[in-house]
Amino acid sequence: EVQLVESGGGLVQPGGSLRLSCAASGFTFSRYWMTWVRQAPGKGLEWVANIKGDGSEKYYVDSVKGRFTISRDNAKNSLYLHMNSLRVEDTAVYSCAREVNYYEGGGTYADSWGQGILVTVSS
Amino acid sequence: EIVLTQSPATLSLSPGERATLSCRASQSVRSNLAWYQQKPGQAPRLIIYDASNRATGIPARFSGSGSGTDFTLTISSLEPEDFAVYYCHQRFSWPLPFGPGTKVDF
């Protein structure tokens, strides 16, 4: 069974930093793209970043470029999101998800999700 | 950057009725589009991938269609557990935005 468990959230002041972790189990972690998605309270889903299985490709939404860094440790089956210069508008539940490629040449889609972790940016 | 719009914002229906949800992209995403269902307090659930393929375990009452810029999610006969928010998500080019969502409620 695929399991994704986020940790590292909490309350942080504007301008501060946090590192989120996502512990993966039940699948061969290194073979999959992984993604971070966030959801502000009462709002919709926002894709934040994703990373290829070997870590060689990383992509970000414009609003976090230069502030957030996605990384992974395949030996530890773990995904990370390093968040710096946090803003009030970064307040959200952050979820990690596994992306599946159903066939060669097709897109990748988030088929398994963690329950999410709350990050609150407030003074 | 591709922008997704969804309509309607809210769809008020009863169990047994047919639901038709629309997603429009600001430029072509070919067939690289997914639909997710989200219920309060729960993680999103993949319903449709590549515009028209049902994900594992998704009932046949869910169907997706479209390509390019216009996509539709159809629920042929609503069950009580289908009342939720549905998001489309393009996977064609980075960044990868979600649509704003359509709430299907009573």
Side-chain angles (χ1 to χ4, degrees):
Chain A
E1 179 192 4
V2 174
Q3 284 200 325
L4 298 167
V5 180
E6 301 91 344
S7 61
L11 175 64
V12 61
Q13 291 188 338
S17 298
L18 273 180
R19 187 186 82 160
L20 302 184
S21 299
C22 171
S25 61
F27 63 102
T28 305
F29 183 69
S30 61
R31 293 183 181 177
Y32 292 85
W33 283 79
M34 296 294 294
T35 198
W36 286 101
V37 172
R38 67 184 178 183
Q39 189 166 31
K43 302 297 184 182
L45 300 172
E46 182 181 30
W47 174 81
V48 175
N50 65 352
I51 184 170
K52 195 174 180 179
D54 61 5
S56 62
E57 295 182 42
K58 305 175 184 181
Y59 300 92
Y60 301 90
V61 67
D62 285 350
S63 60
V64 309
K65 279 181 184 176
R67 300 190 300 123
F68 290 12
T69 301
I70 189 171
S71 64
R72 62 193 298 159
D73 185 336
N74 288 341
K76 295 182 178 180
N77 290 340
S78 292
L79 175 73
Y80 306 102
L81 187 66
H82 306 256
M83 304 185 294
N84 296 322
S85 304
L86 282 160
R87 304 168 180 168
V88 171
E89 55 266 33
D90 295 318
T91 295
V93 172
Y94 286 73
S95 299
C96 63
R98 181 185 79 165
E99 297 186 6
V100 171
N101 178 248
Y102 285 95
Y103 58 89
E104 190 71 27
T108 60
Y109 298 94
D111 75 326
S112 299
W113 297 68
Q115 279 302 307
I117 192 82
L118 178 62
V119 171
T120 303
V121 185
S122 175
S123 54
Chain B
E1 179 176 333
I2 296 172
V3 176
L4 299 178
T5 56
Q6 290 186 243
S7 60
T10 303
L11 197 52
S12 296
L13 295 169
S14 300
E17 291 192 295
R18 182 184 188 90
T20 303
L21 288 67
S22 176
C23 176
R24 176 165 288 178
S26 58
Q27 56 188 277
S28 176
V29 299
R30 294 196 216 167
S31 293
N32 296 124
L33 186 112
W35 291 92
Y36 292 89
Q37 175 195 71
Q38 189 180 34
K39 298 177 183 178
Q42 295 187 19
R45 177 190 183 195
L46 179 65
I47 301 294
I48 298 288
Y49 67 91
D50 285 341
S52 61
N53 296 290
R54 278 190 302 277
T56 303
I58 300 303
R61 64 181 182 271
F62 289 89
S63 63
S65 63
S67 66
T69 61
D70 292 295
F71 300 88
T72 300
L73 174 69
T74 302
I75 310 171
S76 59
S77 178
L78 282 164
E79 296 287 340
E81 61 267 28
D82 300 336
F83 291 88
V85 180
Y86 292 83
Y87 297 92
C88 57
H89 187 206
Q90 70 88 9
R91 303 294 309 198
F92 179 69
S93 66
W94 285 278
L96 304 173
F98 287 87
T102 290
K103 183 177 182 180
V104 178
D105 66 7
F106 281 106

